[in-house]
Amino acid sequence: MPLTNSQYNALMRVYEEKRAKSRDLANLHYEHACQKVPELASIDASISSASLDQAKKLLAGDDTALTSLKEDIRSLSDRRRRLLSDAGFPEDYLEQHFECPDCQDTGYVGTKKCHCFLKAIIDLFYTQSNLKGLLEQENFEHFNFDYYSSNYRDRLSGQNSRELATRAYQECMNFIHNFDTEHGNLLLFGNTGIGKTFLSHCIAKEVMDSLHSVLYLTASEFFDALLEKALTRNDESCLLYEQIHQCDLLIIDDLGTERNTDFVVSQLFVCLNDRILNRKSTIISTNLTLEEIKTNYTERTFSRISNHYKILRLAGDDIRIQKKLMYREEH
């Protein structure tokens, strides 16, 4: 997934700060060591002088200059290490130390992103997703089919709660596995407390762990962000607006809980349509029925959803209430 310019620049600023910190520390070490061992400064001056002299000889055609320079530097470096050791300093005290020795805090090994840079990308995505911390518990490892009873019959679909959950789980897995190729979209709908938000969080973790950006917003936060951008156009609102349109996966939670206005209706269509055209995935969760979605957000928006989204229904008893009852029984 290509980072946006702002995301890439944010990461590179972190790496610049790391390198600056290691340089400053190395300079402090050098000053401290020279105070105790003044000869160190003259050794470094000798190394610089020898490098310059041998470079001149090399340019003049002396083929032995490079070998001679290596021997001089080796001898002077050995002398420096002995002096440091005799003064009680570690031998590598004057060397610059990096958080990541593989890339020396540049983020790259050659032209390839270092493993530390890939981890930094994931950490950035977690931070910008609004989900950091939640996903330690809300992930597929903690998904439990026991909360979906085969005895609960959904009148709308004719299926029981377990059947609906099984299909939703399988479709979510397909969504993840085909994320890079199909750029799919999901609509999760059903009554309150049956795991719609939990499932979207599960997907978000898998998507971010595979180096894709995710942005989670409640419906109110989503429309407030769009309104803020329209009214103020300040840097913060513009950045969030950019994330809404450019993130690999946008999650709009609890559609229908926001205050419905003409602005809301029009902007929902614009955003969903834009993301479909640009092959950016979106997950919407809502307590609304399909008919209510069509009524509240116009048939044009519903057409986009029905034609470009996998529509998944969940039904059953409120899982939060089930958990409370189970906790009481255990205690």
Side-chain angles (χ1 to χ4, degrees):
M1 170 268 167
L3 294 165
T4 64
N5 289 335
S6 60
Q7 289 172 329
Y8 181 81
N9 291 337
L11 288 177
M12 295 314 297
R13 281 195 297 271
V14 172
Y15 276 94
E16 288 169 8
E17 290 170 3
K18 289 180 180 181
R19 292 197 300 276
K21 183 179 178 181
S22 64
R23 283 195 303 269
D24 291 344
L25 183 59
N27 290 336
L28 286 173
H29 281 187
Y30 184 76
E31 291 175 7
H32 183 213
C34 286
Q35 288 175 357
K36 293 190 68 175
V37 188
E39 189 179 344
L40 289 172
S42 63
I43 289 176
D44 287 334
S46 297
I47 290 175
S48 298
S49 178
S51 299
L52 182 60
D53 290 343
Q54 298 301 339
K56 290 178 180 178
K57 291 180 181 180
L58 188 62
L59 290 173
D62 186 349
D63 294 336
T64 66
L66 187 57
T67 301
S68 179
L69 175 61
K70 289 180 179 178
E71 292 175 355
D72 289 344
I73 291 178
R74 187 182 301 111
S75 176
L76 290 167
S77 297
D78 288 343
R79 173 64 179 159
R80 183 170 61 175
R81 279 193 293 271
R82 286 195 298 272
L83 288 171
L84 283 170
S85 180
D86 291 344
F89 292 107
E91 288 188 356
D92 63 349
Y93 187 69
L94 300 183
E95 296 176 10
Q96 193 170 342
H97 296 276
F98 303 99
E99 288 187 23
C100 179
D102 295 330
C103 69
Q104 297 189 339
D105 293 343
T106 63
Y108 285 82
V109 178
T111 59
K112 293 185 177 180
K113 292 183 178 70
C114 182
H115 59 85
C116 70
F117 193 84
L118 297 177
K119 182 180 183 302
I121 292 174
I122 294 175
D123 290 342
L124 176 67
F125 288 161
Y126 267 76
T127 300
Q128 294 185 341
S129 70
N130 294 331
L131 292 171
K132 193 170 185 177
L134 277 174
L135 303 187
E136 293 179 6
Q137 291 297 319
E138 300 200 5
N139 55 64
F140 280 116
E141 289 185 9
H142 294 92
F143 185 87
N144 191 344
F145 282 106
D146 290 343
Y147 293 122
Y148 300 94
S149 172
S150 56
N151 295 323
Y152 185 105
R153 182 67 58 179
D154 176 42
R155 288 176 294 179
L156 185 63
S157 65
Q159 295 178 289
N160 64 47
S161 179
R162 178 69 63 88
E163 290 170 336
L164 290 171
T166 300
R167 176 175 179 263
Y169 181 91
Q170 292 170 344
E171 291 294 349
C172 289
M173 287 299 176
N174 291 336
F175 178 88
I176 293 165
H177 294 154
N178 300 315
F179 190 81
D180 285 317
T181 55
E182 295 187 0
H183 311 285
N185 306 286
L186 297 177
L187 174 71
L188 303 170
F189 80 106
N191 52 297
T192 302
I194 42 142
K196 301 185 298 296
T197 300
F198 185 93
L199 264 179
S200 67
H201 289 176
C202 292
I203 295 171
K205 183 180 189 306
E206 298 298 320
V207 169
M208 283 190 286
D209 286 349
S210 62
L211 293 175
H212 294 86
S213 58
V214 174
L215 178 61
Y216 168 91
L217 296 169
T218 65
S220 295
E221 291 170 338
F222 170 70
F223 291 113
D224 284 349
L226 298 181
L227 182 59
E228 180 75 10
K229 165 64 167 55
L231 294 177
T232 67
R233 295 183 176 273
N234 58 38
D235 290 345
E236 187 176 347
S237 66
C238 288
L239 178 59
L240 183 52
Y241 184 84
E242 176 186 299
Q243 288 179 267
I244 286 172
H245 283 270
Q246 295 188 12
C247 65
D248 295 319
L249 174 61
L250 172 66
I251 300 174
I252 305 172
D253 194 25
D254 269 345
L255 184 69
T257 56
E258 77 288 342
R259 181 170 172 268
N260 196 286
T261 64
D262 290 341
F263 176 84
V264 163
V265 172
S266 64
Q267 288 302 303
L268 180 64
F269 175 81
V270 169
C271 182
L272 299 190
N273 189 57
D274 180 71
R275 290 185 61 81
I276 290 168
L277 293 175
N278 288 296
R279 296 174 67 79
K280 299 288 187 180
S281 296
T282 306
I283 296 176
I284 300 172
S285 72
T286 181
N287 297 337
L288 300 176
T289 65
L290 299 181
E291 189 60 39
E292 287 171 333
I293 294 173
K294 183 189 296 185
T295 301
N296 291 357
Y297 303 101
T298 74
E299 191 161 339
R300 185 173 64 156
T301 298
F302 183 75
S303 175
R304 282 287 184 271
I305 293 173
S306 60
N307 287 321
H308 296 279
Y309 282 63
K310 182 75 69 172
I311 298 177
L312 303 174
R313 177 164 172 78
L314 289 170
D317 296 317
D318 192 314
I319 292 174
R320 286 165 291 196
I321 295 176
Q322 293 185 62
K323 286 182 177 179
K324 289 179 181 179
L325 293 174
M326 291 170 61
Y327 179 82
R328 288 176 184 174
E329 291 177 359
E330 293 173 357
H331 295 80

